[in-house]
Amino acid sequence: MARYIPAPFARLCEQFERLPGIGHKTAMRLAYHVMLMPEAEANKLATSITDAHRELHYCSVCCNLTDKDPCFICSDQSRDRSVICVVESFKDVSVIEETREYSGMYHVLHGVLSPMRGVLPDHLTINHLVARIRKGNVKEVIMATNVTVEGETTASYIAKVIKPLGVRVTRLATGLPAGGNIEYSDEVTLARAIVSRMDM
Amino acid sequence: MARYIPAPFARLCEQFERLPGIGHKTAMRLAYHVMLMPEAEANKLATSITDAHRELHYCSVCCNLTDKDPCFICSDQSRDRSVICVVESFKDVSVIEETREYSGMYHVLHGVLSPMRGVLPDHLTINHLVARIRKGNVKEVIMATNVTVEGETTASYIAKVIKPLGVRVTRLATGLPAGGNIEYSDEVTLARAIVSRMDM
């Protein structure tokens, strides 16, 4: 950074620039904003970062991010313990929760299989999932990984591993999205929507 | 925030959401990213925020943001001390420095006059600027406030105050921007470009 920019400010910009979707200009703008905040506000922002890291850890049941163990969802007795929804990341849990359509349990893989990037089954929480299913009471496992090559591969792999345990393994439906326009939909999506067509 | 989102995580999102240009979704994405960082990296980000606030203050000469006093620019003996460029915010200093077209001094107002929002001359560093000029040696003051109603008003006000001190007061040129297209330029800009036309 230019010499006329004081070092503590340059360091702050640099840190912001490491965040996703934040380029040089936005990092500068955020840093300037932080400098214009009252000191107490800035300290609050800093503390929230260290606190989140110190207080959050993985749930020992579902591997979701939580500040208590088991997590809010795993300790909720009203939820259906016979269904486990397997997701790639803890971000996906909140997205699915927001649909208010699902009341079962979750299992967070923390990644997808990707031999190219060196991510093998042992790097994910698959063994932990198998152990959960072996304990019994699980009737269905819903594979809710992304509809990408890696997400599909991971879903297939896990399905192959857990099917012998006697559980029903399902996959989220693929097809046209809500509000989807046939004219503008891509061929793969449309082809899948045709193959998976339903009776009316 | 939803109950299934752990409190430290919700607090972190909330803090990110207070930053400019960061909405709910982006705040969530940043917070997730911070959680995926190694703890040492997250602490570095937090520390850079508190450090910047602790170590940076206003230069006693030009009121720019600095970690030493006088600031890098004010203590640079190679710069022209007879010219002062008056800017609204410390952000503007780096933008002007990046042009490599200016080698004088700066004066940061930290705002613009705005009776509507209760910003009066005493809230800016105008008195401090007058004192600097009174000390002598200043030949020219360049008004580099934004070309907005408030910026123009502030420039006019300061010009009126400092002209009696015997300095030349100038204003940044207004006209078509570089790469500017006459067809698409707005009327005010074009009108000013006509009025301020120059001999070729």
Side-chain angles (χ1 to χ4, degrees), chain A residues 91-112:
Chain A
K91 303 178 202 188
D92 303 328
V93 173
S94 24
V95 182
I96 295 176
E97 280 299 287
E98 260 148 43
T99 65
R100 292 161 202 268
E101 195 56 55
Y102 181 71
S103 63
M105 314 306 281
Y106 287 96
H107 193 84
V108 184
L109 294 173
H110 294 296
V112 271

Side-chain angles (χ1 to χ4, degrees), chain A residues 4-196:
Chain A
Y4 52 83
I5 292 180
F9 188 82
R11 280 198 296 271
L12 182 58
C13 288
E14 211 175 87
Q15 288 296 325
F16 277 132
E17 233 177 301
R18 301 171 71 116
L19 296 174
I22 296 196
H24 182 65
K25 285 242 165 181
T26 312
M28 290 277 272
R29 196 158 55 101
L30 292 180
Y32 281 125
H33 181 86
V34 166
M35 286 313 303
L36 293 176
M37 279 176 172
E39 187 160 358
E41 288 298 306
N43 287 344
K44 234 180 186 171
L45 170 61
T47 316
S48 69
I49 295 169
T50 43
D51 280 2
H53 249 273
R54 203 184 54 242
E55 295 171 20
L56 294 176
H57 48 85
Y58 293 151
C59 170
S60 62
V61 180
C62 70
C63 306
N64 193 5
L65 209 62
T66 176
D67 55 344
K68 49 177 191 247
D69 196 24
C71 73
F72 182 82
I73 293 172
C74 289
S75 54
D76 183 347
Q77 295 301 327
S78 70
R79 297 187 74 113
D80 182 357
R81 279 151 200 281
S82 69
V83 191
I84 295 178
C85 178
V86 177
V87 293
E88 289 182 19
S89 135
F90 50 95
K91 303 178 202 188
D92 303 328
V93 173
S94 24
V95 182
I96 295 176
E97 280 299 287
E98 260 148 43
T99 65
R100 292 161 202 268
E101 195 56 55
Y102 181 71
S103 63
M105 314 306 281
Y106 287 96
H107 193 84
V108 184
L109 294 173
H110 294 296
V112 271
L113 293 179
S114 171
M116 290 267 287
R117 288 187 290 122
V119 185
L120 301 170
D122 282 351
H123 297 115
L124 306 181
T125 59
I126 298 176
N127 293 335
H128 191 69
L129 174 66
V130 171
R132 271 180 89 179
I133 298 169
R134 280 232 169 89
K135 274 189 196 147
N137 302 327
V138 180
K139 293 200 185 94
E140 180 179 352
V141 175
I142 304 172
M143 298 308 309
T145 51
N146 292 335
V147 190
T148 56
V149 174
E150 291 176 340
E152 298 278 21
T153 313
T154 309
S156 304
Y157 175 85
I158 296 175
K160 214 174 65 187
V161 170
I162 61 178
K163 262 189 184 162
L165 303 175
V167 286
R168 181 182 169 204
V169 184
T170 53
R171 178 92 176 97
L172 289 188
T174 51
L176 294 171
N181 193 312
I182 291 176
E183 185 180 348
Y184 301 126
S185 77
D186 65 288
E187 300 139 48
V188 181
T189 302
L190 200 52
R192 287 188 183 206
I194 294 169
V195 171
S196 316

Side-chain angles (χ1 to χ4, degrees), chain B:
Chain B
M1 201 154 308
R3 285 183 313 156
Y4 52 83
I5 292 181
F9 188 82
R11 279 197 297 270
L12 182 57
C13 288
E14 213 175 85
Q15 288 296 325
F16 277 132
E17 233 177 301
R18 301 170 72 115
L19 296 174
I22 296 194
H24 182 64
K25 285 242 165 180
T26 313
M28 290 276 275
R29 196 159 53 102
L30 292 179
Y32 281 126
H33 181 86
V34 165
M35 286 314 302
L36 293 175
M37 281 178 171
E39 187 159 359
E41 288 297 307
N43 288 344
K44 237 184 188 167
L45 170 61
T47 316
S48 69
I49 295 169
T50 43
D51 280 0
H53 250 273
R54 204 184 52 242
E55 295 170 23
L56 294 176
H57 47 85
Y58 293 151
C59 170
S60 63
V61 181
C62 70
C63 307
N64 192 5
L65 210 63
T66 177
D67 55 344
K68 50 179 190 247
D69 196 24
C71 73
F72 182 81
I73 292 173
C74 289
S75 55
D76 182 348
Q77 294 301 328
S78 71
R79 297 186 75 111
D80 183 358
R81 277 152 202 283
S82 69
V83 191
I84 295 178
C85 178
V86 177
V87 294
E88 289 182 20
S89 135
F90 51 94
K91 303 179 202 187
D92 302 328
V93 172
S94 25
V95 182
I96 294 175
E97 280 299 287
E98 261 149 42
T99 65
R100 292 161 202 270
E101 196 55 57
Y102 180 70
S103 63
M105 313 306 283
Y106 287 96
H107 193 84
V108 183
L109 294 173
H110 294 298
V112 271
L113 293 179
S114 172
M116 290 266 287
R117 286 187 291 120
V119 184
L120 302 170
D122 283 351
H123 296 115
L124 306 180
T125 60
I126 299 175
N127 293 334
H128 192 67
L129 174 66
V130 170
R132 273 179 88 179
I133 298 169
R134 282 234 168 87
K135 275 191 195 143
N137 302 325
V138 180
K139 292 201 187 95
E140 181 180 353
V141 176
I142 304 172
M143 299 307 310
T145 51
N146 292 333
V147 191
T148 55
V149 173
E150 291 177 340
E152 298 278 21
T153 314
T154 309
S156 306
Y157 175 85
I158 296 176
K160 215 174 64 187
V161 170
I162 62 178
K163 262 188 184 162
L165 304 174
V167 287
R168 180 180 170 208
V169 184
T170 55
R171 179 91 176 97
L172 290 187
T174 51
L176 295 170
N181 193 312
I182 291 176
E183 185 179 349
Y184 301 125
S185 75
D186 64 289
E187 299 138 49
V188 181
T189 303
L190 199 54
R192 286 189 183 206
I194 295 169
V195 171
S196 316
R197 68 191 179 279
M198 285 180 298
D199 289 316
M200 291 180 66

